[in-house]
Amino acid sequence: MVTVAQRIERVWTMVRTVHDPELPYLTVEEMGMVRGVTMRDNQIVVSLTPTYSGCPATDVISEDVENAVRSVEPEAQVEVVLSPAWTTDWILPSAYEKMREHGIAPPEGQSADRAFLTGQGKVIPCPFCKSKDTSMVSAFGSTACKALFKCNACLEPFEHFKCI
Amino acid sequence: MTEGQHLQIILRLGDDALVLGQRLSAWCGHGPVLEEDIALSNTALDLIGQARNFYTLAAAREDQGRDEDQLAFFRTDKEFQNHLLLEQPNGHFGDTIVRQFFFSAFALERCAFLSRQLVDAEVAGIAAKAVKELQYHWEHAAQWIVRLGDGTTESHEKVQASIDHLWSYTGEFFNADEVDAAGAEAGLLPNLAVMRKAWNARVEACLAQATLTCPEDGWMQRGGKQGIHSEHLSYMLAEMQVLPRTYPDATW
């Protein structure tokens, strides 16, 4: 007999295989989007929190998670939980180094700090040459979660994962 | 606040976000520079996402078998209850920025209240997410107001003309009807008189920094919240809704 704890652990194992379609080197768990796996009315429920209201990847991620977990739990449900709102503070530390390796400056510090919100008053080091001489080109980037920066030292443009 | 009024409040929040999101999405591929193209498209994406959240909630609450798409694509112009400002055409870049500036100042204050109220936890959840996005929209618009107002003679004149033209659409934000009053009474919506002070302070401070003049109130437009719109909304909806209305069973 498989216990509930074992079933939940098995689902977690499958959830951990799902990657963010826009940041494919990161899993949705590393992104802090998985709020939990629980047993409700004898059914496994995976709770996900979207990063941005309009993030087009949210639907794809829900489907990917559903497909992954249903290989071990055919009746499993995926629910989207909006509250509490996702924050960059939930991104796991393992994601930070992976972001840098892929040329994205990870979020800096706690999102609660007002100064980080616009990327002003905060030094965002270049993920390529590590120089702190960088400037923001635009608060909006190629995806909802990123801002555009440039490095004044090595002159490379790079993206910064916004703190929200 | 009746159940019907509660539902109407959620729909209005969705309508504001969808109409402006649809308008802004028309800038995609037409922005004056690449960064602005991306910024306006990102803003559109945030707003359409917020609209989806409010519509999904409204559809679940009304329990009539409708979903977010039916609320967006199968309601007529008279059923939309967005503020008139949001349906005004994009015009030139300055017009779009002024529209965004006026609305973001309002939406940010409103959303902050919605995220804190304890009457409707699901609305608070959507708002808590949205308020972080609206902060970016406000910053972006406010920075452009300063750059255009305190820029060249031409940019100053053009953006002042946009402000003078769109000002008459800002009165509606603070014109409480029965639904607003009931929502405020119940603690779900902010008191619009209090909101007006916060909005004026935000807008006036930025306009002063931008060396722009804050217009006097004259004839102020109204009617959007009651479904009486300017002609622009109907054309916009015709374009937005034509595909699902022509092929109601289409999926992708």
Side-chain angles (χ1 to χ4, degrees), chain A residues 73-84:
Chain A
E73 283 284 342
E75 303 295 313
Q77 294 293 323
V78 173
E79 65 167 16
V80 173
V81 182
L82 295 174
S83 181

Side-chain angles (χ1 to χ4, degrees), chain B residues 178-199:
Chain B
E178 270 173 32
V179 177
D180 291 321
E185 171 88 26
L188 174 61
L189 289 181
N191 177 313
L192 291 181
V194 176
M195 281 272 291
R196 172 166 228 157
K197 285 198 184 112
W199 184 86

Side-chain angles (χ1 to χ4, degrees), chain A residues 50-54 56 59 82-83 85-87 114 116-118 120 137-144 148 162-164, chain B residues 35-36 38-39 42-43 45-46 48-50 52-53 121 124-126 128-130 132-133 135-137 139-140 143:
Chain A
T51 54
Y52 280 73
S53 302
D59 292 341
L82 295 174
S83 181
W86 181 86
T87 149
R114 174 68 191 78
F116 296 143
L117 193 63
T118 50
Q120 288 165 346
V137 178
S138 171
F140 298 87
S142 60
T143 65
L148 293 175
K162 296 195 279 209
C163 289
I164 67 163
Chain B
E35 287 77 10
E36 277 319 299
I38 293 171
N42 264 261
T43 306
L45 202 58
D46 286 341
I48 290 169
Q50 292 168 19
R52 289 186 62 183
N53 289 336
I126 296 169
K129 168 108 292 178
K132 297 175 174 187
E133 298 160 355
Q135 180 74 40
Y136 269 101
H137 304 173
E139 295 282 347
H140 176 248
Q143 283 168 15

